[in-house]
Amino acid sequence: IYNHELTCTSCGYNKNNELPSHLKNVIGDCLSQIVPGIDKDFLTDVKTGKKPSKLQWEQRLEVASHSKYFKHSFRHLSLPGEKTALVHCVDDVTTEKNAALLREDEIVQLRRSLKDSAEIVENATEMIFKVDKAGYFTFISEEFQRALGHDVDKMLGKHFSEIVHPDDLPEIAEVFAYIVEFGKTTLNRVFRVIHADGSYRWVSCSALFLFDENNITSHGIGFAQDVTDLQEAVNTLKATEQRYAAFIK
């Protein structure tokens, strides 16, 4: 507690707290000595009887080779004879501060991780997409747009069945229903999907579904590659083999 001259007149503290020495034996010291760097405007306001705009400070100190954080808070105390005193409370907030610093560090690490993940997705040579458990697109990568020509705005919210060739849809729908239930990664399936220009492209696709903390199906992630040239070559070879076999017969 300080008098009107901001000199400490009484002091008490929890001896279990590891406080720096200058916060223990402070009777007779001025507030500016006890809290180095305190705002001069605060001192002026208190001495002139004004209500300070700022009544709390946080201070970092080295105690026993460790960084500790203290919160200084102040309030006026009315005394007999129209006198006032200033009550100064110091709280050790090291645990809370360290927890906050840890959270900040975790957020920085998460942002860095998200940035790295975004760069990987943006530069991947595979088409990457995400669907909800009903089969509607919620994300498509830049490679998906480049390979199939579909704009994000037009694809998001569209059902995957809308771009699968009608002849291939029954098998793909069956596979989709299976992985929604069991969440297992499928073997690569080769099927046709429609390009934005109306043509069909062959893709080799695998997908898996993830579950939330309640083991309920959450969403699916898929990876696909354009294998049109390869599939057309395989189809041509098969047709040639069939013609050759018919000729031999």
Side-chain angles (χ1 to χ4, degrees), residues 54-210:
K54 182 177 181 180
L55 294 174
Q56 289 188 351
W57 277 271
E58 188 176 276
Q59 184 181 36
R60 177 189 175 202
L61 297 170
E62 294 298 319
V63 181
S65 301
H66 297 290
S67 293
K68 294 184 72 69
Y69 297 88
F70 300 93
K71 182 176 73 173
H72 300 268
S73 56
F74 301 88
R75 65 183 178 85
H76 283 282
L77 179 66
S78 297
L79 298 175
E82 298 184 353
K83 294 183 178 180
T84 61
L86 187 69
V87 179
H88 175 195
C89 297
V90 184
D91 295 310
D92 186 340
V93 294
T94 303
T95 301
E96 295 86 343
K97 184 65 176 180
N98 285 339
L101 292 174
L102 180 60
R103 286 194 296 272
E104 291 177 5
D105 184 61
E106 290 174 344
I107 291 173
V108 170
Q109 294 297 329
L110 177 59
R111 286 175 177 169
R112 185 177 294 117
S113 178
L114 291 174
K115 181 181 178 181
D116 292 342
S117 298
E119 289 178 349
I120 293 172
V121 171
E122 290 171 3
N123 294 284
T125 57
E126 284 186 308
M127 291 176 266
I128 302 174
F129 59 90
K130 181 178 175 182
V131 295
D132 62 20
K133 61 183 180 182
Y136 292 91
F137 287 104
T138 59
F139 169 81
I140 63 172
S141 66
E142 290 189 9
E143 180 60 17
F144 190 108
Q145 300 175 65
R146 189 199 66 76
L148 299 179
H150 297 290
D151 294 333
V152 174
D153 294 339
K154 294 181 179 180
M155 285 302 299
L156 297 184
K158 179 177 289 189
H159 198 270
F160 77 87
S161 61
E162 296 182 52
I163 65 170
V164 177
H165 193 287
D167 293 343
D168 299 329
L169 183 57
E171 177 187 358
I172 300 306
E174 183 178 348
V175 171
F176 180 82
Y178 178 85
I179 61 175
V180 167
E181 182 175 358
F182 299 102
K184 295 182 179 179
T185 304
T186 68
L187 297 175
N188 279 34
R189 302 282 175 159
V190 177
F191 56 95
R192 289 160 290 182
V193 295
I194 192 169
H195 191 281
D197 62 12
S199 64
Y200 280 96
R201 306 291 295 179
W202 287 92
V203 296
S204 176
C205 179
S206 65
L208 60 89
F209 259 82
L210 304 179

